[in-house]
Amino acid sequence: QGGNNAGHTVVVDGKEYDFHLFPSGIINPKAISFIGKTFDQSVQLKSYFSLYFLIGLKDWEKRLIISDRAHIVFDFHQAVDGLQEVQRQAQEGKNIGTTKKGIGPTYSSKAARTGLRICDLLSDFDEFSSRFKNLAQQYKSMFPTLEIDIDGQLKKLKGYAEKIRPMVRDGVYFMYEALHGSPKKILVEGANAALLDIDFGTYPFVTSSNCTVGGVCTGLGVPPQHVGDVYGVVKAYTTRVGIGAFPTEQINEIGDLLQSRGHEWGVTTGRKRRCGWLDLVILKYAHMINGFTALALTKLDILDVLDEIKIGVAYKLGGKRIPYFP
């Protein structure tokens, strides 16, 4: 769950935590939390030290390990994310509905091989500064209104580098040791959902990473034979933040009821989630890709007050039922 993307609300012993970057296991004093590249290969450094939501968590920095291969989200990535959304709205009359946290632009930099990683930040800072300036300049030429305080940013990044240095490890070797050393329980936590996967989701209304099970291999360097049980987490109804296809959506009092009773708000954006009946076509599709060994069905109690519960069981295309997700 490396990138500052959709938030995750975790409640432990009556205390509520809203996580954006931290793996949920950071609350457990017996667990080591590792941020590799899984599902979101981007680490927004400043959030590690915004500890207002970690009050009461002792020694968290001793339990957190960051992969040296993780890509860094810079402030200008976030600014560009917002500018691109404005551009889409102006050109197409609709945007993607991103969290504006810089995830898309960071992945663009990564794919263009101009991205910068934690290992770059912690090695030769002069070389890092030079590459940072080049990357900033590229974005400034694409977005003339973009303002970047290059010297200020670099000063800040130099400070972050020293703070996180003790937490950084070679991520591939760390995972290899975890898999082959003394027996451990290893839980890989994925952000977002199957239908937001860059390859298999409702493109283009998706995130920029692989949040399906393949992300375990590509994100952490875990060989496929080590992937054991795969748990699908699904609500008893369907929700979506932002725009995109949603056949079972209820834009009526049912949708309002699910939204209010289920406290369906986006943790990162504060937006109301769109709500509708459970879509089994989507669930089956997610299973085709991920091969779930078990499902965790959540929020069944939200439906308690309804006399009738509906479920989407099939899609029709051109009047004919189809066995796949189109």
Side-chain angles (χ1 to χ4, degrees), residues 29-293:
K30 294 176 184 170
I32 297 294
S33 290
F34 174 58
I35 293 182
K37 306 191 308 169
T38 310
F39 305 105
D40 261 307
Q41 292 105 328
S42 23
V43 176
Q44 187 197 353
L45 298 175
K46 65 182 180 188
S47 295
Y48 286 120
F49 307 102
S50 305
L51 293 184
Y52 60 90
F53 63 87
L54 284 179
I55 293 160
L57 279 191
K58 293 189 178 76
D59 299 329
W60 62 269
E61 67 281 1
K62 291 175 187 164
R63 304 197 298 275
L64 182 69
I65 292 171
I66 304 167
S67 171
D68 57 350
R69 289 170 172 80
H71 277 256
I72 304 170
V73 181
F74 297 115
D75 284 1
F76 60 73
H77 282 131
Q78 294 205 6
V80 165
D81 205 353
L83 289 170
Q84 285 177 330
E85 283 286 76
V86 170
Q87 222 173 49
R88 288 182 197 108
Q89 190 68 48
Q91 288 169 353
E92 302 167 35
K94 60 183 175 186
N95 54 33
I96 287 173
T98 78
T99 53
K100 299 190 180 121
K101 295 294 178 186
I103 302 299
T106 303
Y107 272 90
S108 298
S109 298
K110 177 185 147 182
R113 291 159 291 188
T114 53
L116 287 159
R117 304 190 291 177
I118 296 290
C119 53
D120 301 312
L121 176 65
L122 297 190
S123 51
D124 183 337
F125 196 76
D126 289 339
E127 169 73 11
F128 174 86
S129 301
S130 167
R131 287 176 60 192
F132 178 87
K133 286 172 186 171
N134 287 343
L135 184 59
Q137 211 50 55
Q138 280 175 27
Y139 276 112
K140 277 174 79 77
S141 63
M142 284 191 279
F143 299 92
T145 59
L146 185 65
E147 290 177 18
I148 304 172
D149 174 9
I150 289 178
D151 293 334
Q153 287 292 300
L154 285 169
K155 188 180 174 188
K156 226 163 46 163
L157 284 158
K158 197 166 191 179
Y160 291 143
E162 295 322 304
K163 283 180 179 166
I164 66 164
R165 197 178 287 278
M167 302 178 208
V168 176
R169 301 266 283 275
D170 183 299
V172 173
Y173 186 63
F174 173 77
M175 284 310 303
Y176 180 82
E177 282 196 305
L179 290 162
H180 293 91
S182 57
K184 293 176 185 63
K185 287 180 181 172
I186 299 174
L187 175 69
V188 182
E189 176 181 31
N192 293 312
L195 272 290
L196 292 178
D197 185 275
I198 185 74
D199 292 308
F200 299 109
T202 49
Y203 190 89
F205 308 108
V206 292
T207 191
S208 302
S209 59
N210 287 114
C211 34
T212 42
V213 75
V216 176
C217 304
T218 57
L220 289 172
V222 171
Q225 69 262 36
H226 286 289
V227 177
D229 293 318
V230 180
Y231 298 107
V233 182
V234 59
K235 290 174 191 165
Y237 52 95
T238 302
T239 63
R240 177 164 199 145
V241 173
I243 57 177
F246 191 168
T248 60
E249 184 174 13
Q250 298 299 296
I251 307 169
N252 52 29
E253 65 281 0
I254 298 278
D256 294 342
L257 177 99
L258 295 171
Q259 198 279 324
S260 59
R261 269 181 68 85
H263 304 290
E264 296 294 349
W265 301 90
V267 175
T268 301
T269 58
R271 285 178 295 192
K272 277 186 181 183
R273 291 198 184 103
R274 297 158 62 193
C275 299
W277 299 116
L278 180 61
D279 186 334
L280 290 183
V281 180
I282 284 176
L283 187 54
K284 188 179 177 186
Y285 175 67
H287 176 54
M288 286 177 195
I289 297 162
N290 292 292
F292 300 129
T293 44

